[in-house]
Amino acid sequence: MAELNKPVVLVTGGSGFIAVHIIVQLLEKNYRVRATLRSMGRQDEVKAMVLAGGVANINIEDLSFVEADLTSDKNWNQAVKEADYVIHVASPTPNRIYKDENEMIQPAREGVLRVLRAARKAGVKRVVLTSAFGAIGVGHKQHTGPYTEEDWSNTEANIHPYQKSKTLAERAAWEFIRQEGRGLELSTVNPVGVMGPILGKDYSHSNEIVRNMLEGKLKSVPKIYSDYVDVRDVAALHILAMVRPEANGERFIASSAENLSTLEIAGILRKHLGQDAEHVPTKELPNLFVRAAALFNPQLRMIATLLGQDMSTSNEKAKRLLGWNPRPAEEAIIATGESMLSIIREMKRR
């Protein structure tokens, strides 16, 4: 039976890749966790993912669910009732085929404000918002890294609506705290490309690149250089941002601070996965080809906007203020590769 005296944390988007790892670590640290789901039909699936993440059956009793959607006010007051903290992970995922950028921007911005209003009304101590590197380091063609938490993406530049949505949603959150917070505290975590162990069918678009490599769907890769971070370290940083007094009012980049090309990721997979990585590409695509293809292929549009960009980051602030110590990017990439191989094998057995 769940202990009622334990602090309560609401985690939004409880079935998501990052959210599940946050839930695992919160349960391990003796919190009661209430997770929002758009469909209550996924409760057993999320419990299975949490158990796969190493939580014992006794801890799973501290996990409960409530149905809530970012596009509706329904159930949010119930979701935050008696919660000590909120970790707001849920966000619209990148829609590669869209008619208007507001299809991503409006739900992200309104969803953040909906959660903050409910949290303030319920007397929540602090909200930790999962933002993104997309709110920090895109739209700056002349920038030379590393990016820090002082930087903001340029929404006037030619950036993908998903990145614009993350930027405008985070800015709206900070403005809400300044104007209407009334004592509600806020911290944000801004992850770079998130890799690491996959516990269920939901995973980040960074992981999808690894799957496409392993399945031989990519014969060559675009010339993109990015930083990466392990999902377990992203989860740990959220919890530090939730409880540490120094984190109030601060942004934190979640990054191993190692800038890798997509081709270098491919090399890591080939080095560690042997024969299982035989289809992983060994060549890069010319930038001109990717830009031309993006005119006709919506799936390449966000990738095309990142070509030639310096997206290196600093993780000094999280390490200095919070004592955060992330794994090397290589470890995270190998974990993604091994998880993807398990998923691919399972699909073949069906």
Side-chain angles (χ1 to χ4, degrees):
M1 223 177 135
E3 292 181 34
L4 298 180
N5 61 339
K6 294 179 179 179
V8 176
V9 183
L10 175 71
V11 178
T12 68
S15 62
F17 177 51
I18 294 174
V20 167
H21 280 274
I22 292 172
I23 292 169
V24 166
Q25 293 187 26
L26 286 169
L27 292 173
E28 289 174 341
K29 292 179 181 296
N30 264 344
Y31 289 93
R32 280 192 292 151
V33 179
R34 187 182 303 140
T36 69
L37 297 172
R38 283 184 293 177
S39 169
M40 293 294 275
R42 299 194 70 182
Q43 291 180 76
D44 289 344
E45 179 188 344
V46 175
K47 286 181 179 179
M49 288 190 278
V50 170
L51 290 170
V55 170
N57 279 295
I58 191 169
N59 299 95
I60 206 77
E61 294 177 355
D62 286 322
L63 175 61
S64 61
F65 300 92
V66 61
E67 186 173 320
D69 191 296
L70 290 177
T71 61
S72 169
D73 288 332
K74 183 180 178 182
N75 289 343
W76 281 106
N77 288 337
Q78 175 189 342
V80 296
K81 185 178 180 181
E82 298 179 351
D84 297 280
Y85 304 98
V86 172
I87 299 182
H88 179 38
V89 192
S91 178
T93 53
N95 180 9
R96 293 175 176 85
I97 303 175
Y98 55 89
K99 295 179 181 177
D100 185 274
E101 64 180 16
N102 285 314
E103 291 177 22
M104 272 179 271
I105 294 169
Q106 191 170 337
R109 185 179 183 279
E110 291 183 355
V112 165
L113 294 176
R114 182 169 279 114
V115 171
L116 288 172
R117 289 189 187 105
R120 181 192 63 193
K121 182 179 178 182
V124 166
K125 176 177 174 56
R126 183 179 297 175
V127 174
V128 179
L129 170 64
T130 309
S131 187
F133 172 76
I136 286 178
V138 294
H140 302 288
K141 288 190 178 296
Q142 305 305 317
H143 182 92
T144 54
Y147 284 95
T148 74
E149 290 83 357
E150 298 299 314
D151 294 306
W152 283 90
S153 292
N154 177 13
T155 57
E156 300 301 315
N158 177 29
I159 67 175
H160 193 274
Y162 174 68
Q163 295 159 332
K164 187 180 285 190
S165 76
K166 299 300 286 189
T167 308
L168 296 178
E170 188 188 339
R171 283 196 177 278
W174 288 116
E175 184 64 20
F176 175 89
I177 293 297
R178 281 191 293 270
Q179 300 293 333
E180 308 175 51
R182 301 174 201 163
L184 177 65
E185 297 179 355
L186 177 68
S187 302
T188 69
V189 175
N190 298 66
V192 292
V194 184
M195 299 284 190
I198 298 165
L199 303 179
K201 67 181 184 181
D202 290 344
Y203 47 83
S204 73
H205 44 282
S206 300
N207 297 138
E208 194 172 344
I209 296 170
V210 173
R211 178 171 183 169
N212 288 338
M213 287 186 191
L214 291 170
E215 291 185 321
K217 293 179 179 178
L218 295 177
K219 305 304 179 187
S220 303
V221 294
K223 293 181 181 180
I224 292 177
Y225 289 78
S226 180
D227 286 7
Y228 294 90
V229 65
D230 192 289
V231 65
R232 293 164 290 188
D233 296 321
V234 176
L237 184 53
H238 277 80
I239 297 172
L240 287 170
M242 180 182 83
V243 299
R244 292 289 292 271
E246 306 95 318
N248 179 35
E250 301 290 348
R251 309 169 84 199
F252 297 97
I253 295 175
S255 172
S256 69
E258 301 165 79
N259 201 244
L260 301 173
S261 70
T262 311
L263 193 62
E264 286 175 309
I265 294 174
I268 290 170
L269 295 173
R270 287 197 308 274
K271 176 183 175 182
H272 292 277
L273 301 182
Q275 191 66 25
D276 288 322
E278 62 179 336
H279 300 302
V280 171
T282 59
K283 297 179 180 179
E284 288 182 316
L285 288 165
N287 289 352
L288 187 62
F289 175 87
V290 177
R291 291 192 177 101
L295 298 174
F296 306 97
N297 185 346
Q299 296 188 13
L300 293 176
R301 286 176 188 166
M302 183 157 64
I303 290 173
T305 65
L306 302 178
L307 295 170
Q309 301 297 303
D310 180 349
M311 295 190 289
S312 58
T313 59
S314 168
N315 59 14
E316 185 273 336
K317 182 178 178 180
K319 292 168 74 173
R320 172 176 50 83
L321 271 188
L322 305 180
W324 184 64
N325 187 28
R327 295 165 175 80
E330 185 171 27
E331 185 177 337
I333 292 163
I334 295 166
T336 293
E338 290 172 343
S339 293
M340 283 300 178
L341 287 174
S342 296
I343 292 170
I344 293 166
R345 291 180 187 124
E346 178 62 28
M347 294 294 291
K348 288 180 177 178
R349 283 195 292 266
R350 291 179 183 175

